[in-house]
Amino acid sequence: MKRVSFDEFGGPDVLQLVDAEEPHAGPGQVRIAVRAAGVNPVDWRIREGQFREAHPIDLPSGVGQDAAGVVDEVGEGVDGVEVGDHVFGEGASTYAEFAVLWAWARMPGGLTFDEAAGYPSVVETALRIIGQVGVWSGQTLLVSGASGGVGSAVLQIARDRGITVIGTAGAGNQDYLRSLGAVATTYGEGWVERVHRLGQVDAALDLAGSGAVRELVELTGDPQKVISIADLGAPELGVRFSGVAASMAEALAEAVDLISRGTLRIPVEKSYTLADAAAAQIDSRAGHTRGRRVVLV
Ligand SMILES: NC(=O)c1ccc[n+]([C@@H]2O[C@H](COP(=O)([O-])OP(=O)(O)OC[C@H]3O[C@@H](n4cnc5c(N)ncnc54)[C@H](OP(=O)(O)O)[C@@H]3O)[C@@H](O)[C@H]2O)c1
């Protein structure tokens, strides 16, 4: 089969489309014929070697963790899913023709494979950090970097829970944030004052890692009411960094419910072929994705 792989850490040019052995479903796993793989910032962070000390990996390595496709092998001990089912979920080396998943759910009706591949990681992250920051119906949540993958999920889940969201994004994404139910404002010069004018903030999420944590603490009045997923320096200001994934199976079940109720829909800004995986990662790394990017297989 074909898969995207790299045999040294480095820039996007280390990515190659190669012939590889097909993976097989082990106990508790399924294998899918991949139709689409989600592109996440963590994919290029791993390829650059940003986690090589904390989480060493064997090279050559495949790329990608999110995918949607058609089940074609069911591992030992797996119930409730059959060959031919359309599923989305999380696994390893998903920028490939076949991939093994260890968490999955049946795709809700009406969802395309390319859309479905975009949900797993961002929905898990959004549910986790909304829970950790502690924000409730009737309160206001400030989201820095609200128009990307995680932000798009946070805004819609918060709206469903009766939480008011103030979101920051670039000038071109203000209408997009409003379409997801948020009060929108731009980041950049004067943003703290603009948020002040929009009202009291009960909790805040730093999704962009743009150096805004100090201001988010100022706006909430309490470092415990701020969570960052993108600024490793946040704990120096008493702010929690959330980096350990919670249950993907639970997140997928909740995603299915939200999508089926028409409450959650994350647009795909652009799709790429497997041969264009480097371009997908270059575009993701530029840091201005609206919704999601996916690789189609
Ligand atoms: N710790 C974890 O568990 C975890 C999990 C998932 C992701 N992450 C990290 O979280 C970050 C966001 O992930 P993602 O998938 O949502 O990324 P993404 O889809 O690439 O979105 C990034 C967003 O950041 C916004 N942005 C860029 N510059 C900004 C600035 N100066 N101020 C405010 N917003 C700005 C962009 O908005 P505009 O286009 O409007 O400029 C863009 O929509 C990444 O760094 C990723 O590695 C961490």
Side-chain angles (χ1 to χ4, degrees), residues 41 45 125 128 145 147-150 170 173 187 207-208 210 229 242 287-289:
R45 292 188 191 284
T125 305
R128 164 169 36 103
S147 57
V150 178
N173 279 326
Y187 52 75
L207 309 185
S210 57
I229 59 166
S242 178
H288 297 289
T289 298

Side-chain angles (χ1 to χ4, degrees), residues 8 14 16 52 76 80 89-90 96 104 125 138-139 145 151 155 170 183 216 226 229-230 249 257 271-272 275 279:
E8 59 178 318
V14 300
Q16 294 173 329
R52 64 203 291 183
E76 203 186 307
E90 182 186 52
W104 62 87
T125 305
Q139 293 191 319
L155 264 49
V183 178
L216 297 180
V226 182
I229 59 166
D257 175 58
S271 54
Y272 305 76

